[in-house]
Each structure stands twice: as structure tokens, then as C-alpha cells.
Amino acid sequence: MPNNKPVTMDAVYTAPGYLFRRMQQIAVALFIEECKAFDLTPVQYAALIAISTHPGIDATRLSAVIAFDRSTLGNVIERLEAKEFIVRKPAPEDRRVKLLYLTKAGAAVLDEIMPSVDKAQARMLQPLKPADRKTLLALLTQLVDLNNEASRVPLRAEDALEHLGKSG
Amino acid sequence: MPNNKPVTMDAVYTAPGYLFRRMQQIAVALFIEECKAFDLTPVQYAALIAISTHPGIDATRLSAVIAFDRSTLGNVIERLEAKEFIVRKPAPEDRRVKLLYLTKAGAAVLDEIMPSVDKAQARMLQPLKPADRKTLLALLTQLVDLNNEASRVPLRAEDALEHLGKSG
DNA sequence: GCCATATTGTCAGTATACTGTCAATTAAAT
DNA sequence: ATTTAATTGACAGTATACTGACAATATGGC
């Protein structure tokens, strides 16, 4: 037997899932606003950073390093390639794989966008008191980590991927 | 002059924006998993709740009550109508407006899905200690509220909309 | 009453996200 | 070595999200 309680909007407003969705939208809006001078979305920025720190990574491993869906990432890579921020080169030892590298333009945009990204990230938490910012960030980091396996694409950090290297 | 610091993945992993995105994806995954018996997404659920608590609301005001984009909501409403969980009726006093009402099936699915939604919401925070759950939820609620105007579609709760009533 | 303005729903275009599938290719089993 | 498995990038289909535009309709100033 289901419930008989009157339904109010609190069923939505106080649900963590709703708050996470809302906060994510706010985060994207702030990122776009701060970084509108650069032709980069938050997802594209994360992908660029990962390619920058892992030159020659392939799409599947990139997906694990930033925890983005492999299908989605295909389109992201396409757009980054169209903007000439990255190049795709076929891997010599495995003809299925295409390796990803930053171009000069990609490295440049990454270098230049950093201050704006930092500003956007700061603005997201700015309304809170400094101590609360720290607390929230710590709890959020913890929660994302502990819920890692609950997402379709769990994060597999660099270390966990090294043994998958082609010539290891 | 931009920076010269070596870029690591921490530029991504520790950014609040990245953590919010990740947590939102986890939240959706848990919702879908718990509610797979019901043909409802998180967004559709929120819309249904709002229509349930505001029978005869129109799409624009619905968008303000759940803080979802008006364009996006059009498609959501379409799908809810296709599933016959809601109906759209033209407003008699304003021929631009279409009023939204729950169907019997819509009310039924809302009633039945509640326990699963609650379970999903609980699972999102479960990895944290109970005290930490409270803290995170409180800070998150605060942050979303204080950042309300930063999002493209700020939340306008019921109260703020009452004076817009047709026959007020 | 007429005209500038605002509102409403809709649509086209772009960008995440996820599910499921597929061909090509590689690796593993025996 | 040949069959079987798994992996890789790609694709089709669905569902959010946002931008910008549009026609139909209402509303306000005058």
C-alpha cells in the first residue's frame, strides 16, 4: 500500500538528486559565463587537460580518466578536433586505436583559459563562508569517491591505467 | 602572462564544477536503477510532482517552479503526455496558454514510485556518516539558494508566482 | 482603438549523457 | 592455428540542457 501523505514541492526541493542537478546547472552557467572568450565547454576543458597530462592517450582510456561516457566522448573529441585543439593519430601497434595529442593551439588555449576557469570555480562556492566551502568540498569529494562504482563510467585514475600501456 | 605551473589532473578532480557534474551523473544513475520499474526519469518525476501540487499550471510557470529550461520542458511535457501521465487543456481566458493536469495514471505512478525515489535519494548520501549527510545537504541547499540567480532559470517558488494567477 | 511591447508555446541548432549495437581488430583458449 | 572473447571506435536512438528565433496572442501607453 503506497502512502497517503499530501505531496508538496519539498519532495523535490529537499531531494539531494534535485540539488545536485541544480548545482550542476549553476556550475555550467558560471563556467560558460567566465570562459565565453574561449571556445571551450566544461567537458571539453576536462578532456583537454587529460590529453595534456596524458599525451597519446586513446579515447577509451580518456573516458576512464575523466569518467565520461565513451559514446559521449566520441563527439567531444570530434569537436575538439574540428577546433584544431587536438589531433588523432592511428596507433602503429593497434589498428583499432587512435591516439590523442594536443596541438599548439590546444596547449595555448589551455594555458590562457586557466585563470577564467579558476574564477568560475571560485564563484560557485563564493556564497558560502570560507570554512563552509572547505567542508562542502571535502564532503563532496568524499561522496563522489565513495559512490564511484555507482556511476556508469567509474573513474579510473592514471595509476589504475598504467598497466594497460601498450609497451609496458 | 599565463602560468607556468605543470598541469595535473588535480586541476579537474578538485574543481567543484567537476565534482558537481560527477555527483549529478551518479544521482541520475541511482534514480534510474531504483525506478526502472516505472517509466519515469528524474526530470519527468519532478515535473509530475509540480503538476500534481499545481493542477492547471502552464508550461512557463512550471519551468519557474522546478527551475528547468522552458525549451527543455516542452519536450519533457510532450513525453509525459505521450505516456498519458498528463493532459494539456487550452486555457479559456488566454489562447496562448495550455494548462497541465495529471491523469489518473499519472497520479497512480506518482503514488507508486515514491518509495523507490526515496530509496534512490537515500543511496546517494548513504556512503557518508549520518552527521555528514546532514551537513552536506544543508550546505548544498544553502549554496543552490544563494546561487539561484546565477542559473539561466532561477527557481521561483509557488509563492512568487501566485500574483501571476489568471483570476487573482 | 492603435501601436509598441511582452508573453506563450514552439522550433532549429548545438552539446552533453546514456543504452544498445556493430564491424574491425586483437587477444585468449585450447 | 582456429575458434572464441574482448576491445575499440563508431553509430543510432532517446533524454536532458541551453541559445536564439518565431508566430500567435495579450497587454500597456497614449
Side-chain angles (χ1 to χ4, degrees), chain A residues 96-158:
Chain A
R96 293 169 304 181
V97 172
K98 296 179 182 175
L99 307 180
L100 304 171
Y101 297 93
L102 243 63
T103 61
K104 277 217 179 75
V109 80
L110 209 46
D111 196 47
E112 288 162 17
I113 202 179
M114 288 283 196
S116 302
V117 173
D118 290 345
K119 218 178 295 178
Q121 301 297 337
R123 279 184 65 192
M124 292 172 203
L125 302 183
Q126 198 148 39
L128 294 181
K129 285 178 295 189
D132 285 346
R133 287 175 216 158
K134 271 197 172 178
T135 306
L136 177 61
L137 205 51
L139 289 176
L140 193 59
T141 303
Q142 218 183 115
L143 190 58
V144 166
D145 184 49
L146 293 171
N147 269 326
N148 191 36
E149 300 303 321
S151 66
R152 155 126 148 125
V153 187
L155 177 71
R156 307 290 181 207
E158 302 98 289

Side-chain angles (χ1 to χ4, degrees), chain A residues 29-119:
Chain A
L30 291 175
F31 185 104
I32 297 293
E33 191 181 322
E34 286 294 340
C35 303
K36 60 175 175 294
F38 310 91
D39 193 19
L40 274 188
T41 66
V43 166
Q44 289 165 14
Y45 164 77
L48 264 198
I49 292 273
I51 296 172
S52 166
T53 41
H54 302 81
I57 197 174
D58 61 272
T60 296
R61 293 210 284 168
L62 178 60
S63 133
V65 164
I66 53 182
F68 289 168
D69 184 81
R70 212 158 51 104
S71 294
T72 305
L73 205 53
N75 304 323
V76 176
I77 288 171
E78 240 172 50
R79 283 185 278 273
L80 284 175
E81 199 180 21
K83 293 175 187 173
E84 301 193 338
F85 289 155
I86 65 170
V87 287
R88 265 192 286 203
K89 294 183 186 173
E93 348 73 64
D94 188 337
R95 275 185 295 173
R96 293 169 304 181
V97 172
K98 296 179 182 175
L99 307 180
L100 304 171
Y101 297 93
L102 243 63
T103 61
K104 277 217 179 75
V109 80
L110 209 46
D111 196 47
E112 288 162 17
I113 202 179
M114 288 283 196
S116 302
V117 173
D118 290 345
K119 218 178 295 178

Side-chain angles (χ1 to χ4, degrees), chain B:
Chain B
M1 180 192 70
N3 78 79
N4 287 327
K5 279 177 306 218
V7 177
T8 72
M9 285 306 294
D10 274 359
V12 172
Y13 295 154
T14 67
Y18 175 78
L19 294 169
F20 288 129
R21 172 183 304 273
R22 196 98 181 73
M23 201 52 224
Q24 207 269 323
Q25 287 174 357
I26 290 166
V28 172
L30 290 175
F31 184 103
I32 297 294
E33 190 182 322
E34 286 294 340
C35 303
K36 60 175 174 294
F38 310 91
D39 193 18
L40 274 189
T41 66
V43 166
Q44 290 166 13
Y45 165 77
L48 265 198
I49 291 273
I51 297 171
S52 167
T53 42
H54 301 82
I57 197 173
D58 62 88
T60 295
R61 294 211 281 167
L62 178 61
S63 131
V65 164
I66 51 181
F68 289 170
D69 183 81
R70 210 159 51 102
S71 295
T72 306
L73 205 52
N75 303 323
V76 176
I77 289 172
E78 239 173 52
R79 284 185 277 272
L80 285 176
E81 199 180 21
K83 292 174 187 173
E84 301 192 339
F85 289 155
I86 64 171
V87 286
R88 266 191 286 202
K89 293 182 186 172
E93 349 75 62
D94 189 335
R95 276 186 293 172
R96 293 170 304 180
V97 172
K98 296 179 182 175
L99 307 179
L100 305 171
Y101 297 93
L102 243 63
T103 61
K104 278 217 178 76
V109 79
L110 210 46
D111 196 48
E112 288 162 18
I113 202 178
M114 288 283 197
S116 302
V117 173
D118 290 345
K119 217 177 295 177
Q121 301 296 337
R123 278 184 65 192
M124 291 173 204
L125 302 183
Q126 198 147 40
L128 294 181
K129 285 178 293 190
D132 285 346
R133 287 175 215 158
K134 273 198 172 178
T135 305
L136 177 61
L137 205 51
L139 289 176
L140 193 57
T141 303
Q142 219 184 112
L143 189 58
V144 165
D145 184 50
L146 294 171
N147 270 325
N148 192 35
E149 300 302 321
S151 66
R152 155 128 149 125
V153 187
L155 178 71
R156 306 292 181 205
E158 302 100 289
D159 333 359
L161 292 172
E162 264 165 27
H163 70 284
L164 296 178
K166 304 294 186 309
S167 50

